[in-house]
Amino acid sequence: MKIENLTIKSAHEGLKNGDFTSVELTTAYLKKIEEKDEEIRAFVTVTKDLALKQAKEADEMIKRGEMTMLTGIPCAFKDNYLIKDEKCTASSKFLENYIAPYNATVVEKLKKQGAVFLGKTNLDEFAMGSSCEKSAFFATKNPRDLQRVPGGSSGGSAAAVAADMCVYALGTDTGGSIRQPASFCGVVGLKPTYGTVSRNGIIAFASSLDQAGPITKNVTDAQIVFEAIKGVDEYDSTTVEYVEEESNSFKIGVPKEYFAEGLDEKVKESIMVAIDQYRKMGAEIVDVSLPHTEYALACYYIIAPAEASANLARFDGLRYGQNIDGIIENRTNYFGSEVKKRIMLGTYTLSSGYYDAFYKKALKARTLIKNDFEEAFKKVDVILGPTSPCLPFKLGEKQEDPMAMYLSDIYTVSVNLAGLPAISIPSKNEGLPIGIHLIGQPFKEKALLKIANNYDR
Ligand code: GLN
């Protein structure tokens, strides 16, 4: 059967009309993974037995008339989501043999809906990176150009969706890790408002920034998955209940700070075209200013490592790790260089004497960045810019230059610092994929998705 370009919606129709069963659909995706993933390397683990078992159950659900939008549809998870009794490595040697003892809340929710889990996708170790090259196992390739990176850290998820090796995938976004790979692979990536989707059972990187979200073929699919995974969870005290009102307002803010030096000309051109298309669709385009944008990257690269150093303290070789012989040996031998660097940086900025100079200052900057958005959102519904300042880069190109790598997060990190929802949607340019970044107001995903969908359609 043909699975190319299947979306959740079209797969759902096919299942509902009896054009194919979930077992047939799942088998087709497993075959595709077998053929294609040798080249792309999006998957760390393929959970074939689980997928086929779930597909059979989904077909039963469909027969019983208990179908939801996601029943019987094959998806993939970034390998930092726990799926009970399956490996969860976070693409780290440290957790190479770790078997998850329970399901993440998001996993549990999708399971209840009858989703089919094809496997676990590659990431930069512990989600620290922007290219998927920092995985301890292997680098994933960009399906749109095999010489290039798929972005990161949810690079495996974005590549799997782009290469039709699953219908949709789950990622996590601490500073751009859903949106930037979606942008690089020419697919859609949604980072929900902090607190809308449970983080329970997802390996923590920086807890005040982490959010789970979908990577999909289009905006409609992103909405479907978002609706299925959001909600209050007693295991994540930061989740909140809220009701969003319908809105037809269509004002788009364009921050001048996003078009400063360092932005690739092709990316800029493509974003300008998108702005023009929005104007033609009836959007009011408004100039806005986010004056503290220039501090976002520095602020993020203090706060995220600080929180990571605390979160990763649990990996001590006793509770997790390759052997129980030594705490230090485990941390020395089984963490990669990027992870060690961040733990050291984080420990340093939290230590007495440096706390005020770095960490506390970063927290203050974070408030200023958040206030900038609040001001801008008094005038507009969403803010538009590029997702990444550069095109998908070549494998190895930025490996030796961490600053260049960090700079690719320049537009995405401030969204996490402010806790906002944002989506990356592919622009309609020729050549390498470029992502349009739309940032919404807190808990106004519906409005954001509607405006994103206007373009996507
Ligand atoms: N690229 C960013 C980093 O390296 C963001 C990672 C993420 O969102 N998980 O920290």
Side-chain angles (χ1 to χ4, degrees):
M1 69 177 292
K2 230 178 106 53
I3 54 170
E4 282 69 34
N5 294 320
L6 266 188
T7 61
I8 294 175
K9 233 175 159 181
S10 56
H12 173 77
E13 289 303 316
L15 288 165
K16 198 167 82 184
N17 298 336
D19 300 340
F20 43 79
T21 64
S22 176
V23 170
E24 284 165 350
L25 187 64
T26 303
T27 307
Y29 275 98
L30 288 168
K31 188 163 161 258
K32 180 85 178 197
I33 294 171
E34 220 173 278
E35 286 164 8
K36 189 110 198 182
D37 204 40
E38 215 170 297
E39 190 171 46
I40 307 287
R41 308 217 70 186
F43 285 86
V44 175
T45 307
V46 178
T47 52
K48 188 175 171 190
D49 295 343
L50 175 65
L52 288 170
K53 179 172 155 270
Q54 287 178 319
K56 275 191 203 119
E57 284 165 10
D59 284 330
E60 291 301 319
M61 274 175 85
I62 296 168
K63 266 193 218 142
R64 290 197 301 269
E66 292 165 10
M67 190 177 194
T68 73
M69 277 310 287
L70 296 174
T71 308
I73 300 180
C75 65
F77 289 90
K78 185 177 183 175
D79 203 14
N80 57 355
Y81 281 72
L82 305 193
I83 300 180
K84 190 174 187 302
D85 298 332
E86 300 293 341
K87 262 191 195 173
C88 187
T89 70
S91 288
S92 177
K93 287 256 181 246
F94 211 106
L95 297 177
E96 199 169 7
N97 304 313
Y98 175 67
I99 308 284
Y102 64 97
N103 280 330
T105 297
V106 170
V107 170
E108 194 58 39
K109 283 188 180 226
L110 294 176
K111 185 174 163 232
K112 284 212 178 95
Q113 297 228 1
V116 173
F117 304 161
L118 293 170
K120 311 291 294 292
T121 58
N122 201 20
L123 60 146
D124 292 289
E125 186 175 359
F126 284 103
M128 298 173 188
S130 313
S131 68
C132 229
E133 296 165 295
K134 301 281 184 196
S135 161
F137 307 135
F138 46 80
T140 300
K141 290 180 187 157
N142 189 326
R144 298 282 297 264
D145 179 341
L146 298 175
Q147 308 294 314
R148 294 175 192 269
V149 302
S153 61
S154 317
S157 284
V161 174
D164 289 303
M165 293 192 284
C166 58
V167 184
Y168 67 97
L170 276 300
T172 59
D173 192 311
T174 305
S177 278
I178 287 177
R179 293 159 287 154
Q180 186 255 24
S183 150
F184 277 17
C185 293
V187 291
V188 169
L190 171 70
K191 179 239 172 254
T193 308
Y194 185 79
T196 49
V197 180
S198 169
R199 294 172 292 112
N200 170 55
I202 298 171
I203 296 175
F205 166 7
S207 305
S208 80
L209 303 162
D210 294 344
Q211 258 299 279
I215 297 179
T216 55
K217 286 261 157 66
N218 61 28
V219 175
T220 307
D221 281 5
Q223 179 136 25
I224 294 169
V225 181
F226 171 66
E227 294 294 336
I229 62 175
K230 70 172 190 175
V232 175
D233 179 16
E234 61 173 318
Y235 297 116
D236 178 354
S237 62
T238 62
T239 51
V240 289
E241 192 73 67
Y242 65 95
V243 185
E244 181 183 345
E245 279 156 30
E246 286 291 332
S247 156
N248 284 321
S249 180
F250 199 8
K251 284 191 207 137
I252 296 178
V254 179
K256 60 172 184 288
E257 292 82 2
Y258 285 7
F259 297 86
E261 63 173 313
L263 176 59
D264 182 281
E265 272 309 313
K266 280 209 188 81
V267 177
K268 184 172 170 184
E269 206 176 286
S270 180
I271 299 301
M272 290 305 179
V273 172
I275 293 173
D276 220 45
Q277 284 162 332
Y278 263 119
R279 194 179 281 119
K280 284 187 189 129
M281 283 185 264
E284 189 183 327
I285 307 293
V286 183
D287 288 330
V288 293
S289 174
L290 302 169
H292 297 95
T293 298
E294 62 174 308
Y295 304 109
L297 210 60
C299 178
Y300 171 83
Y301 276 101
I302 289 174
I303 292 174
E307 294 185 21
S309 74
N311 274 327
L312 271 60
R314 76 191 68 178
F315 298 107
D316 57 10
L318 286 174
R319 286 167 289 187
Y320 304 89
Q322 297 275 16
N323 62 59
I324 55 163
D325 291 339
I327 293 173
I328 303 300
E329 281 91 322
N330 265 281
R331 290 172 73 85
T332 306
N333 296 336
Y334 300 116
F335 277 146
S337 60
E338 184 68 27
V339 174
K340 281 192 233 178
K341 180 166 79 186
R342 301 220 191 177
I343 292 172
M344 285 191 270
L345 278 173
T347 308
Y348 176 76
T349 59
L350 287 177
S351 58
S352 121
Y354 297 104
Y355 183 96
D356 285 349
F358 293 105
Y359 184 68
K360 204 164 154 195
K361 211 171 191 177
L363 290 185
K364 287 180 180 168
R366 182 178 190 171
T367 303
L368 296 173
I369 289 162
K370 191 161 171 272
N371 292 349
D372 281 356
F373 281 110
E374 271 169 27
E375 270 312 302
F377 283 128
K378 285 181 185 158
K379 292 192 272 183
V380 297
D381 304 295
V382 301
I383 289 170
L384 186 150
T387 305
S388 161
C390 58
L391 293 164
F393 43 89
K394 292 232 168 84
L395 284 146
E397 189 182 320
K398 299 197 179 183
Q399 273 281 44
E400 304 306 321
D401 186 354
M403 257 328 276
M405 187 79 89
Y406 294 172
L407 274 168
S408 71
D409 303 327
I410 194 143
Y411 301 121
T412 48
V413 293
S414 50
V415 166
N416 302 71
L417 290 167
L420 305 172
I423 190 166
S424 179
I425 55 174
S427 86
K428 302 196 192 321
N429 62 296
E430 301 278 313
L432 289 169
I434 292 172
I436 302 166
H437 193 210
L438 292 162
I439 307 169
Q441 302 182 53
F443 305 107
K444 293 204 172 164
E445 271 81 1
K446 257 190 209 149
L448 172 69
L449 288 161
K450 192 168 174 183
I451 292 176
N453 210 7
N454 278 339
Y455 181 88
D456 199 34
R457 269 203 309 249

